[in-house]
Amino acid sequence: MDENLPRKLRRELTECVVRTVQEEGWGSFKNGQLLSRAQTSFDVLLSGDGKIKYQQNVARFDIGIVAILTVSLQLRDILPAIEEIRSAVARVRPGELIEVEVPRPLRRR
């Protein structure tokens, strides 16, 4: 799980073994380096970076990427799309990127 996502999101992915970029000691790596490292140990990178598809040739990596597209990376704003995120994580294949669009959060008062 990329460092830009809330760590508590892992609680919602109980069917997965989730490790964060920080736990792996990869916090200083750019996306290309991160993907190169992650592909040796993981099947999927879950990220909140909507620009990753423009920055990387995803097909050259032996890891699937699920990019959460949202205006807010707060857990409460991501949770409405948790089933779609779970589904994307389960079906993404190496060298593939699946984008999950999160509905805009309602305005809070």
Side-chain angles (χ1 to χ4, degrees), residues 1-10 13 18-22 34 44-50 65-70 72-79 82 85 89 100 102:
M1 193 165 76
D2 207 347
E3 63 189 335
N4 56 4
L5 293 173
R7 290 183 188 179
K8 290 182 180 180
L9 180 60
R10 76 184 321 152
L13 303 169
V18 178
R19 297 278 299 166
T20 66
V21 167
Q22 295 90 342
L34 177 61
V44 179
L45 174 69
L46 184 61
S47 179
D49 183 353
I65 302 168
V66 174
I68 300 172
L69 306 180
T70 179
S72 166
L73 289 172
Q74 292 186 10
L75 182 62
R76 68 176 178 235
D77 296 328
I78 295 171
L79 287 180
I82 194 62
I85 292 167
V89 168
V100 175
V102 177

Short mmCIF file of all heavy atoms in Angstrom, two decimals, residues 1-10 13 18-22 34 44-50 65-70 72-79 82 85 89 100 102:
data_model
loop_
_atom_site.label_atom_id
_atom_site.label_comp_id
_atom_site.label_asym_id
_atom_site.label_seq_id
_atom_site.Cartn_x
_atom_site.Cartn_y
_atom_site.Cartn_z
N MET A 1 0.85 -1.16 0.00
CA MET A 1 0.00 0.00 0.00
C MET A 1 0.90 1.23 0.00
O MET A 1 1.80 1.35 0.83
CB MET A 1 -0.90 -0.03 1.24
CG MET A 1 -2.03 0.94 1.19
SD MET A 1 -3.30 0.62 2.42
CE MET A 1 -2.49 1.23 3.89
N ASP A 2 0.65 2.12 -0.92
CA ASP A 2 1.47 3.32 -1.10
C ASP A 2 1.32 4.25 0.10
O ASP A 2 0.30 4.24 0.80
CB ASP A 2 1.06 4.03 -2.39
CG ASP A 2 2.19 4.84 -3.00
OD1 ASP A 2 3.21 5.07 -2.32
OD2 ASP A 2 2.04 5.27 -4.16
N GLU A 3 2.32 5.08 0.29
CA GLU A 3 2.35 5.95 1.46
C GLU A 3 1.32 7.06 1.44
O GLU A 3 1.06 7.69 2.45
CB GLU A 3 3.75 6.53 1.66
CG GLU A 3 4.23 7.41 0.53
CD GLU A 3 5.69 7.77 0.69
OE1 GLU A 3 6.20 7.77 1.83
OE2 GLU A 3 6.33 8.06 -0.33
N ASN A 4 0.71 7.32 0.28
CA ASN A 4 -0.27 8.40 0.21
C ASN A 4 -1.67 7.97 0.67
O ASN A 4 -2.56 8.79 0.76
CB ASN A 4 -0.33 8.98 -1.21
CG ASN A 4 -0.63 7.95 -2.27
OD1 ASN A 4 -0.88 6.79 -1.98
ND2 ASN A 4 -0.59 8.37 -3.51
N LEU A 5 -1.85 6.69 0.97
CA LEU A 5 -3.15 6.21 1.43
C LEU A 5 -3.18 6.12 2.96
O LEU A 5 -2.15 5.88 3.59
CB LEU A 5 -3.43 4.83 0.84
CG LEU A 5 -3.64 4.81 -0.67
CD1 LEU A 5 -3.73 3.38 -1.17
CD2 LEU A 5 -4.89 5.60 -1.05
N PRO A 6 -4.36 6.28 3.55
CA PRO A 6 -4.44 6.18 5.01
C PRO A 6 -4.16 4.75 5.46
O PRO A 6 -4.69 3.78 4.90
CB PRO A 6 -5.89 6.58 5.32
CG PRO A 6 -6.63 6.44 4.04
CD PRO A 6 -5.65 6.58 2.93
N ARG A 7 -3.31 4.61 6.45
CA ARG A 7 -2.91 3.28 6.94
C ARG A 7 -4.10 2.46 7.43
O ARG A 7 -4.10 1.24 7.34
CB ARG A 7 -1.88 3.41 8.05
CG ARG A 7 -0.56 3.89 7.54
CD ARG A 7 0.46 3.93 8.64
NE ARG A 7 1.66 4.58 8.15
CZ ARG A 7 2.71 4.78 8.88
NH1 ARG A 7 2.73 4.41 10.14
NH2 ARG A 7 3.77 5.37 8.37
N LYS A 8 -5.11 3.12 7.95
CA LYS A 8 -6.28 2.41 8.47
C LYS A 8 -7.08 1.72 7.37
O LYS A 8 -7.93 0.89 7.65
CB LYS A 8 -7.17 3.34 9.28
CG LYS A 8 -6.52 3.77 10.59
CD LYS A 8 -7.41 4.66 11.40
CE LYS A 8 -6.71 5.05 12.69
NZ LYS A 8 -7.54 5.92 13.52
N LEU A 9 -6.79 2.04 6.12
CA LEU A 9 -7.46 1.37 5.00
C LEU A 9 -7.17 -0.13 5.02
O LEU A 9 -7.99 -0.93 4.61
CB LEU A 9 -7.01 2.00 3.68
CG LEU A 9 -7.61 1.42 2.40
CD1 LEU A 9 -9.14 1.55 2.39
CD2 LEU A 9 -7.01 2.09 1.18
N ARG A 10 -6.03 -0.52 5.53
CA ARG A 10 -5.66 -1.93 5.59
C ARG A 10 -6.68 -2.75 6.37
O ARG A 10 -6.89 -3.92 6.08
CB ARG A 10 -4.27 -2.10 6.16
CG ARG A 10 -4.22 -1.92 7.66
CD ARG A 10 -2.86 -1.98 8.31
NE ARG A 10 -1.99 -2.96 7.78
CZ ARG A 10 -0.66 -2.86 7.79
NH1 ARG A 10 -0.09 -1.81 8.35
NH2 ARG A 10 0.09 -3.80 7.29
N LEU A 13 -9.22 -4.38 4.22
CA LEU A 13 -8.73 -5.35 3.24
C LEU A 13 -8.28 -6.63 3.95
O LEU A 13 -7.18 -7.12 3.75
CB LEU A 13 -7.59 -4.73 2.43
CG LEU A 13 -7.93 -3.44 1.70
CD1 LEU A 13 -6.68 -2.76 1.17
CD2 LEU A 13 -8.92 -3.72 0.58
N VAL A 18 -1.45 -7.03 3.85
CA VAL A 18 -1.14 -5.65 3.47
C VAL A 18 0.12 -5.19 4.19
O VAL A 18 0.23 -5.31 5.41
CB VAL A 18 -2.31 -4.69 3.82
CG1 VAL A 18 -1.97 -3.25 3.46
CG2 VAL A 18 -3.59 -5.14 3.12
N ARG A 19 1.05 -4.66 3.40
CA ARG A 19 2.24 -4.02 3.93
C ARG A 19 2.29 -2.62 3.35
O ARG A 19 1.95 -2.42 2.19
CB ARG A 19 3.50 -4.79 3.51
CG ARG A 19 3.58 -6.20 4.02
CD ARG A 19 4.07 -6.31 5.42
NE ARG A 19 5.43 -5.77 5.51
CZ ARG A 19 6.03 -5.48 6.64
NH1 ARG A 19 5.41 -5.66 7.77
NH2 ARG A 19 7.25 -5.01 6.65
N THR A 20 2.70 -1.68 4.15
CA THR A 20 2.80 -0.31 3.65
C THR A 20 4.21 -0.03 3.15
O THR A 20 5.17 -0.72 3.51
CB THR A 20 2.46 0.72 4.76
OG1 THR A 20 3.47 0.64 5.77
CG2 THR A 20 1.08 0.46 5.35
N VAL A 21 4.31 0.98 2.31
CA VAL A 21 5.61 1.41 1.80
C VAL A 21 6.52 1.74 2.98
O VAL A 21 7.70 1.37 2.98
CB VAL A 21 5.42 2.63 0.87
CG1 VAL A 21 6.74 3.32 0.57
CG2 VAL A 21 4.74 2.20 -0.42
N GLN A 22 5.99 2.37 4.01
CA GLN A 22 6.79 2.73 5.18
C GLN A 22 7.31 1.48 5.89
O GLN A 22 8.47 1.44 6.32
CB GLN A 22 5.98 3.58 6.16
CG GLN A 22 5.58 4.92 5.63
CD GLN A 22 4.23 4.89 4.91
OE1 GLN A 22 3.71 3.84 4.53
NE2 GLN A 22 3.65 6.05 4.71
N LEU A 34 9.94 2.17 -6.69
CA LEU A 34 8.98 1.49 -5.82
C LEU A 34 8.40 0.25 -6.51
O LEU A 34 8.35 -0.83 -5.94
CB LEU A 34 7.87 2.45 -5.41
CG LEU A 34 6.74 1.89 -4.56
CD1 LEU A 34 7.27 1.35 -3.24
CD2 LEU A 34 5.69 2.95 -4.32
N VAL A 44 0.31 -6.83 -5.88
CA VAL A 44 -0.45 -5.61 -6.17
C VAL A 44 0.10 -4.43 -5.39
O VAL A 44 0.46 -4.58 -4.22
CB VAL A 44 -1.95 -5.79 -5.79
CG1 VAL A 44 -2.75 -4.53 -6.07
CG2 VAL A 44 -2.56 -6.98 -6.50
N LEU A 45 0.15 -3.28 -6.04
CA LEU A 45 0.42 -2.02 -5.36
C LEU A 45 -0.89 -1.24 -5.36
O LEU A 45 -1.46 -0.99 -6.43
CB LEU A 45 1.50 -1.20 -6.05
CG LEU A 45 1.72 0.20 -5.45
CD1 LEU A 45 2.34 0.10 -4.06
CD2 LEU A 45 2.57 1.07 -6.36
N LEU A 46 -1.35 -0.87 -4.20
CA LEU A 46 -2.54 -0.04 -4.05
C LEU A 46 -2.05 1.39 -3.82
O LEU A 46 -1.27 1.64 -2.90
CB LEU A 46 -3.36 -0.53 -2.86
CG LEU A 46 -4.69 0.14 -2.59
CD1 LEU A 46 -5.63 0.00 -3.78
CD2 LEU A 46 -5.32 -0.47 -1.34
N SER A 47 -2.50 2.31 -4.67
CA SER A 47 -1.98 3.68 -4.63
C SER A 47 -3.09 4.70 -4.77
O SER A 47 -4.12 4.44 -5.38
CB SER A 47 -0.96 3.88 -5.76
OG SER A 47 -0.46 5.19 -5.77
N GLY A 48 -2.86 5.87 -4.24
CA GLY A 48 -3.76 7.00 -4.42
C GLY A 48 -3.22 7.98 -5.44
O GLY A 48 -3.72 9.09 -5.57
N ASP A 49 -2.21 7.57 -6.19
CA ASP A 49 -1.57 8.43 -7.20
C ASP A 49 -2.27 8.24 -8.54
O ASP A 49 -1.99 7.28 -9.27
CB ASP A 49 -0.09 8.08 -7.31
CG ASP A 49 0.67 8.97 -8.27
OD1 ASP A 49 0.03 9.79 -8.97
OD2 ASP A 49 1.90 8.85 -8.34
N GLY A 50 -3.14 9.14 -8.88
CA GLY A 50 -3.88 9.06 -10.13
C GLY A 50 -3.04 9.32 -11.36
O GLY A 50 -3.47 9.05 -12.48
N ILE A 65 -1.37 -2.88 -10.46
CA ILE A 65 -1.53 -1.61 -9.74
C ILE A 65 -3.00 -1.26 -9.70
O ILE A 65 -3.69 -1.30 -10.71
CB ILE A 65 -0.76 -0.47 -10.42
CG1 ILE A 65 0.72 -0.82 -10.52
CG2 ILE A 65 -0.97 0.85 -9.68
CD1 ILE A 65 1.51 0.10 -11.42
N VAL A 66 -3.48 -0.92 -8.50
CA VAL A 66 -4.83 -0.40 -8.34
C VAL A 66 -4.67 1.04 -7.87
O VAL A 66 -4.09 1.29 -6.80
CB VAL A 66 -5.67 -1.21 -7.34
CG1 VAL A 66 -7.02 -0.56 -7.10
CG2 VAL A 66 -5.85 -2.64 -7.84
N ALA A 67 -5.12 1.97 -8.69
CA ALA A 67 -5.03 3.39 -8.37
C ALA A 67 -6.40 3.90 -7.95
O ALA A 67 -7.38 3.76 -8.69
CB ALA A 67 -4.52 4.18 -9.57
N ILE A 68 -6.47 4.44 -6.77
CA ILE A 68 -7.71 5.00 -6.25
C ILE A 68 -7.76 6.47 -6.66
O ILE A 68 -6.90 7.26 -6.28
CB ILE A 68 -7.78 4.87 -4.71
CG1 ILE A 68 -7.70 3.39 -4.32
CG2 ILE A 68 -9.05 5.51 -4.18
CD1 ILE A 68 -7.57 3.16 -2.83
N LEU A 69 -8.76 6.80 -7.47
CA LEU A 69 -8.92 8.17 -7.95
C LEU A 69 -9.96 8.86 -7.09
O LEU A 69 -11.12 8.48 -7.07
CB LEU A 69 -9.38 8.17 -9.41
CG LEU A 69 -8.51 7.37 -10.38
CD1 LEU A 69 -9.08 7.46 -11.78
CD2 LEU A 69 -7.06 7.81 -10.34
N THR A 70 -9.52 9.87 -6.36
CA THR A 70 -10.39 10.54 -5.41
C THR A 70 -9.91 11.96 -5.17
O THR A 70 -8.73 12.25 -5.35
CB THR A 70 -10.42 9.76 -4.07
OG1 THR A 70 -11.24 10.43 -3.13
CG2 THR A 70 -9.04 9.58 -3.48
N SER A 72 -10.17 13.25 -2.22
CA SER A 72 -9.74 13.25 -0.83
C SER A 72 -9.19 11.88 -0.46
O SER A 72 -9.85 10.87 -0.70
CB SER A 72 -10.91 13.59 0.09
OG SER A 72 -10.60 13.28 1.43
N LEU A 73 -8.02 11.84 0.12
CA LEU A 73 -7.42 10.58 0.54
C LEU A 73 -7.73 10.25 2.00
O LEU A 73 -7.06 9.42 2.60
CB LEU A 73 -5.91 10.60 0.30
CG LEU A 73 -5.51 10.54 -1.17
CD1 LEU A 73 -4.01 10.77 -1.32
CD2 LEU A 73 -5.93 9.23 -1.80
N GLN A 74 -8.76 10.87 2.54
CA GLN A 74 -9.16 10.53 3.91
C GLN A 74 -9.96 9.24 3.87
O GLN A 74 -10.76 8.99 2.96
CB GLN A 74 -10.00 11.66 4.51
CG GLN A 74 -9.19 12.90 4.75
CD GLN A 74 -9.99 13.97 5.49
OE1 GLN A 74 -11.08 13.71 5.97
NE2 GLN A 74 -9.44 15.15 5.57
N LEU A 75 -9.76 8.41 4.88
CA LEU A 75 -10.40 7.10 4.94
C LEU A 75 -11.91 7.19 4.77
O LEU A 75 -12.50 6.45 3.98
CB LEU A 75 -10.06 6.39 6.25
CG LEU A 75 -10.63 4.99 6.40
CD1 LEU A 75 -10.10 4.05 5.32
CD2 LEU A 75 -10.33 4.45 7.78
N ARG A 76 -12.55 8.11 5.46
CA ARG A 76 -14.01 8.22 5.40
C ARG A 76 -14.50 8.54 3.98
O ARG A 76 -15.62 8.21 3.62
CB ARG A 76 -14.52 9.25 6.39
CG ARG A 76 -14.13 10.67 6.03
CD ARG A 76 -14.74 11.69 7.00
NE ARG A 76 -14.30 13.01 6.63
CZ ARG A 76 -13.69 13.85 7.45
NH1 ARG A 76 -13.45 13.50 8.69
NH2 ARG A 76 -13.33 15.04 7.03
N ASP A 77 -13.66 9.16 3.18
CA ASP A 77 -14.05 9.50 1.82
C ASP A 77 -13.77 8.36 0.84
O ASP A 77 -14.39 8.28 -0.21
CB ASP A 77 -13.34 10.78 1.37
CG ASP A 77 -13.78 11.98 2.20
OD1 ASP A 77 -14.95 12.02 2.64
OD2 ASP A 77 -12.95 12.88 2.42
N ILE A 78 -12.84 7.48 1.18
CA ILE A 78 -12.50 6.33 0.34
C ILE A 78 -13.45 5.16 0.58
O ILE A 78 -13.77 4.40 -0.34
CB ILE A 78 -11.04 5.90 0.60
CG1 ILE A 78 -10.08 7.00 0.17
CG2 ILE A 78 -10.72 4.59 -0.14
CD1 ILE A 78 -8.64 6.75 0.57
N LEU A 79 -13.93 5.00 1.80
CA LEU A 79 -14.74 3.84 2.17
C LEU A 79 -15.97 3.57 1.30
O LEU A 79 -16.31 2.41 1.10
CB LEU A 79 -15.14 3.91 3.64
CG LEU A 79 -14.01 3.63 4.63
CD1 LEU A 79 -14.52 3.72 6.06
CD2 LEU A 79 -13.37 2.28 4.36
N ILE A 82 -15.08 0.90 -1.16
CA ILE A 82 -14.27 -0.22 -0.67
C ILE A 82 -14.56 -1.52 -1.40
O ILE A 82 -13.63 -2.29 -1.68
CB ILE A 82 -14.37 -0.38 0.87
CG1 ILE A 82 -13.26 -1.29 1.38
CG2 ILE A 82 -15.73 -0.87 1.28
CD1 ILE A 82 -11.86 -0.79 1.14
N ILE A 85 -12.78 -1.38 -4.65
CA ILE A 85 -11.33 -1.49 -4.42
C ILE A 85 -10.97 -2.95 -4.19
O ILE A 85 -10.01 -3.46 -4.78
CB ILE A 85 -10.90 -0.60 -3.23
CG1 ILE A 85 -11.07 0.87 -3.59
CG2 ILE A 85 -9.47 -0.92 -2.80
CD1 ILE A 85 -10.98 1.82 -2.40
N VAL A 89 -8.44 -5.18 -6.55
CA VAL A 89 -7.26 -5.85 -6.00
C VAL A 89 -7.29 -7.34 -6.33
O VAL A 89 -6.27 -7.93 -6.69
CB VAL A 89 -7.16 -5.61 -4.48
CG1 VAL A 89 -6.13 -6.52 -3.84
CG2 VAL A 89 -6.83 -4.14 -4.18
N VAL A 100 -9.89 2.90 -9.75
CA VAL A 100 -11.15 2.88 -9.02
C VAL A 100 -11.49 4.33 -8.70
O VAL A 100 -10.76 5.01 -7.98
CB VAL A 100 -11.05 2.07 -7.71
CG1 VAL A 100 -12.34 2.17 -6.93
CG2 VAL A 100 -10.69 0.62 -8.01
N VAL A 102 -13.56 7.04 -6.88
CA VAL A 102 -14.34 7.21 -5.67
C VAL A 102 -15.29 8.38 -5.87
O VAL A 102 -14.87 9.45 -6.32
CB VAL A 102 -13.42 7.47 -4.45
CG1 VAL A 102 -14.23 7.73 -3.19
CG2 VAL A 102 -12.45 6.32 -4.26
#
